[in-house]
Amino acid sequence: MIRREIISRYRGSILGLLWSFVTPLLMLAIYTFVFSVVFNARLELADGTDNRFEFAMVLFAGLIIFNLFSECMTRAPALILNNVNYVKRIIFPLEILPWITLGAALFHTCISFLVLFAFLLCIGQPLFWTALLLPVVILPFILLTMGLSWFLASIGVFVRDISQFIGLVLTMLLFMSPIFYPASALPESVRTYLFLNPLTFIIEQTRAVVLFGQLPDWTGMAVYYAVGFLVAWSGLAWFQKTRKGFGDVL
């Protein structure tokens, strides 16, 4: 079903699945031009070099994480509503529907990271061995995303306005996450509140292992794993508790 979800997105287009490579490549090129050439932004990396590509790479790495979260959250409220036949006509494990969306989003996330790694090689930046720890950093974020997806998929059946509300929340999170700026650029008094955003820590840790060659913050990762498991378990429990009413509402 994940494979069908990915293929259906590009069905009928000339480039087909190649769009999954072309889109992040074009976006990275645009970010590089706008922020590195037009705005002349600079950000020092681990080796202390100063070139015009650094800010674009930091921005792109943050957007990869945000886009993964955004795609799942945007589609979650309508998952059950768009699959009414699975609810009313056949016996189907409805709890796997968010996994299908997540699987498709992870596919595009992996493609985006491959584009980023290829770009690093092209501009002569080193690929740090710490990038191998990227799955360890992403896993608790996946658990958190799945838990929220189960919550939203269930609530979306009973409250149809949730889709519009989520769009506003995601726009707010885009600018309240350290995507267009590093968390270190904020004053200490504000920085603490920034980390209440669930995206902030993962974005910072992703940049650390991929771009800066640093090990993850293991204490912070342990806390995030605990929170991710708790949110995933709570979301699934809520979904299973409320699914009995889906048929009546639909």
Side-chain angles (χ1 to χ4, degrees):
M1 294 186 73
I2 293 174
R3 179 175 177 271
R4 186 178 65 181
E5 175 74 16
I6 295 171
I7 293 175
S8 64
R9 182 173 305 187
Y10 305 104
R11 184 177 292 118
S13 62
I14 296 176
L15 293 182
L17 200 58
L18 282 177
W19 277 114
S20 62
F21 291 91
V22 173
T23 301
L25 189 62
L26 288 177
M27 294 308 297
L28 181 56
I30 292 171
Y31 297 146
T32 302
F33 175 75
V34 172
F35 289 96
S36 303
V37 178
V38 178
F39 293 120
N40 198 29
R42 294 286 187 269
L43 194 66
E44 185 176 339
L45 288 183
D47 58 0
T49 59
D50 180 25
N51 63 57
R52 62 189 181 188
F53 303 112
E54 295 166 354
F55 191 86
M57 291 185 296
V58 171
L59 172 64
F60 189 64
L63 281 174
I64 292 175
I65 300 299
F66 175 80
N67 289 338
L68 170 61
F69 183 78
S70 177
E71 182 172 351
C72 293
M73 296 300 100
T74 300
R75 300 192 60 188
L79 279 177
I80 305 300
L81 300 176
N82 292 338
N83 294 277
V84 176
N85 289 338
Y86 292 152
V87 179
K88 301 177 68 174
R89 296 185 181 178
I90 61 175
I91 299 175
F92 184 83
L94 296 174
E95 64 273 10
I96 74 170
L97 290 176
W99 281 111
I100 298 169
T101 301
L102 177 64
L106 281 174
F107 171 79
H108 294 98
T109 298
C110 291
I111 297 299
S112 296
F113 273 117
L114 288 177
V115 170
L116 178 61
F117 292 146
F119 184 72
L120 288 171
L121 291 175
C122 289
I123 65 175
Q125 291 287 351
L127 289 182
F128 299 102
W129 70 268
T130 52
L132 297 174
L133 297 174
L134 184 59
V136 178
V137 172
I138 298 295
L139 180 57
F141 183 61
I142 291 175
L143 293 173
L144 179 78
T145 301
M146 278 302 304
L148 294 176
S149 295
W150 277 315
F151 271 118
L152 293 176
S154 172
I155 296 174
V157 176
F158 305 99
V159 183
R160 306 298 171 90
D161 294 340
I162 193 69
S163 296
Q164 286 70 29
F165 177 72
I166 290 300
L168 295 175
V169 171
L170 289 173
T171 301
M172 181 180 65
L173 287 178
L174 175 64
F175 293 100
M176 293 183 64
S177 303
I179 296 176
F180 302 100
Y181 52 87
S184 58
L186 298 177
E188 285 285 349
S189 57
V190 179
R191 196 181 309 166
T192 304
Y193 296 103
L194 185 67
F195 278 88
L196 295 176
N197 179 349
L199 295 173
T200 299
F201 183 75
I202 296 300
I203 289 174
E204 290 289 295
Q205 294 304 300
T206 299
R207 289 169 174 165
V209 299
V210 173
L211 299 178
F212 300 109
Q214 300 171 354
L215 289 174
D217 178 356
W218 295 115
T219 302
M221 290 301 303
V223 174
Y224 208 101
Y225 265 96
V227 173
F229 274 113
L230 178 61
V231 173
W233 177 83
S234 301
L236 181 58
W238 172 266
F239 185 88
Q240 299 289 36
K241 183 178 180 62
T242 57
R243 66 181 297 171
K244 298 177 181 178
F246 292 172
D248 295 335
V249 174
L250 296 174

